[in-house]
Amino acid sequence: MKIGILTYHAACNFGAFLQLLSTVEYVKKRGAEPVVINWVPKDFEADYQKRSSVEVRNLYAEYRKNYLTLTRLCRSSKDIADVIREESIDAILIGSDAVIQHHPLRERFHFPCKRIFYIYHPTSDRMYPNAFWGEFAKYLNSIPMAMMSGASVDSKYFYIKGRMKQRMKESIMRFSYFSVRDEWSQNMVQYLTDNEINPPVTPDPVFAFNYNALHLVPSKDYIQKKYNLPDDYIIISFKVCPKVSVDQQWIDEFQAGAKQHGFACVKIPYADADSFGSIEYNVGKVISPLDWYALIKYSQGYVGNNMHPIVVSLHNGVPFYSFDNYGISVINGKATNGESSKIYQILKAANLEYNRVFVGNPNYIVPKALDVLNSILTFDKIKEKEFSQKFYKKYVDMMDNIFERFTSILSIHNQNSN
């Protein structure tokens, strides 16, 4: 079986690359042939080129060349359909990641002040219809498609009405399998399909990385020697933009407290933004996705922004404290705790919400540095391990369901063609 994988393969983003690599290695282990659909809309390409340096983009291009089998470049859904025929691809696996986005016009109005507003214009990969929603299928006679742990990323789906809602429902109904990464996205799919589809909430593939791709992860000895790191270290990683979650005084207080307990502090970068602060150890501005994974895997704790560091921590039994920079801060005039955040959804499922603060809250108060350090030192690793094992089982069940449906549909197609 030849499986085309469609996701954010071209993004310069640690998590995006790792979840794709996890899926690719899993497909290989199932005895199938993975092929990554090289769909890169021009506006998306221009956007990520602005976000990442030339050095980072070149590194990711080299990693895609070394670890992935890519189709020829596709700019449109029609191109994807042509490639599916040319490559004799049997089925399409879409996801994981923010692949079921749509941001209605009302959501995109922003008011910096009462008399001035602007309209945000997302790139085409974030607006329906696009290839992530299976738009290419209309150019084909038939092909099984699975949506794996799709996420809507704070889309205010309740503003989607009328014909647009009906069209999105029709697209969802074309899928042979459909799952989502969080409850917000689950509610969106239920809303769009008038409750005909209640998709399961399933894990990000990085929750299975050690099972699928551990042979690709650098050793701890290699990482320590390459970056000149001590045995015991805690990672601190805060994004400079859109706003910094803490200040340098906070970082200094955290480092001083960590040092008293025998831990050094290490600063790691983002692929699409600078990291904030002066920290004792700094691994540099450009590192590979696999080195980034290993740095977290072998650490004694992670403190900072973004989702995938939390996923890597959970998967590897690493204590963490999340300064959650996702989620809608205000809905219908009411402040929220970022319930639409993918981090919130994961930690809620793990019963580890107390290791998170929502930085988007209008009344955000920075937690004390030593309180955050104490949460790392007293972290409930047993609860973390139990959750990780539970989520891995969910992942296995999801992938078994996808392959069973692909196999069944293709078997019927083959019988009909004979």
Side-chain angles (χ1 to χ4, degrees), residues 182-216:
D182 54 75
E183 290 180 7
W184 187 271
S185 301
Q186 182 185 52
N187 292 337
M188 181 177 113
V189 173
Q190 287 179 293
Y191 168 79
L192 292 175
T193 63
D194 303 309
N195 292 314
E196 290 184 37
I197 301 292
N198 180 20
V201 175
T202 52
D204 182 300
V206 177
F207 274 107
F209 199 83
N210 288 340
Y211 300 96
N212 296 339
L214 185 61
H215 58 288
L216 301 177

Side-chain angles (χ1 to χ4, degrees), residues 93-272:
L93 180 57
I94 301 175
S96 168
D97 215 333
V99 292
I100 53 171
Q101 295 188 67
H102 181 68
H103 303 278
L105 181 61
R106 186 173 173 184
E107 174 187 344
R108 294 185 278 122
F109 272 88
H110 293 267
F111 291 85
C113 63
K114 290 183 178 180
R115 296 186 179 181
I116 299 176
F117 73 90
Y118 69 92
I119 302 174
Y120 172 59
H121 296 283
T123 50
S124 57
D125 57 290
R126 301 180 63 199
M127 295 293 291
Y128 177 91
N130 63 49
F132 288 145
W133 288 89
E135 188 188 19
F136 54 86
K138 68 184 181 183
Y139 301 106
L140 301 166
N141 290 330
S142 178
I143 187 163
M145 300 185 299
M147 175 63 67
M148 175 183 68
S149 301
S152 59
V153 186
D154 307 337
S155 172
K156 295 184 179 180
Y157 60 84
F158 34 82
Y159 292 143
I160 303 172
K161 308 287 184 181
R163 178 58 184 151
M164 175 61 75
K165 181 184 175 195
Q166 180 60 33
R167 289 173 58 203
M168 295 179 78
K169 175 180 179 179
E170 291 168 0
S171 293
I172 293 170
M173 302 302 285
R174 286 201 298 259
F175 282 82
S176 308
Y177 175 91
F178 206 105
S179 73
V180 293
R181 194 166 63 185
D182 54 75
E183 290 180 7
W184 187 271
S185 301
Q186 182 185 52
N187 292 337
M188 181 177 113
V189 173
Q190 287 179 293
Y191 168 79
L192 292 175
T193 63
D194 303 309
N195 292 314
E196 290 184 37
I197 301 292
N198 180 20
V201 175
T202 52
D204 182 300
V206 177
F207 274 107
F209 199 83
N210 288 340
Y211 300 96
N212 296 339
L214 185 61
H215 58 288
L216 301 177
V217 179
S219 69
K220 182 176 182 178
D221 183 62
Y222 171 85
I223 289 295
Q224 285 184 273
K225 288 180 179 178
K226 181 175 182 178
Y227 296 106
N228 192 30
L229 301 180
D231 284 335
D232 297 319
Y233 62 88
I234 296 173
I235 290 173
I236 300 177
S237 185
F238 291 103
K239 272 190 168 183
V240 170
C241 58
K243 63 180 180 180
V244 180
S245 307
V246 301
D247 58 20
Q248 184 61 48
Q249 181 181 348
W250 190 99
I251 290 176
D252 292 342
E253 290 175 2
F254 186 94
Q255 288 193 100
K259 190 173 184 179
Q260 290 181 352
H261 288 86
F263 298 107
C265 289
V266 176
K267 177 181 176 180
I268 63 173
Y270 294 86
D272 58 355

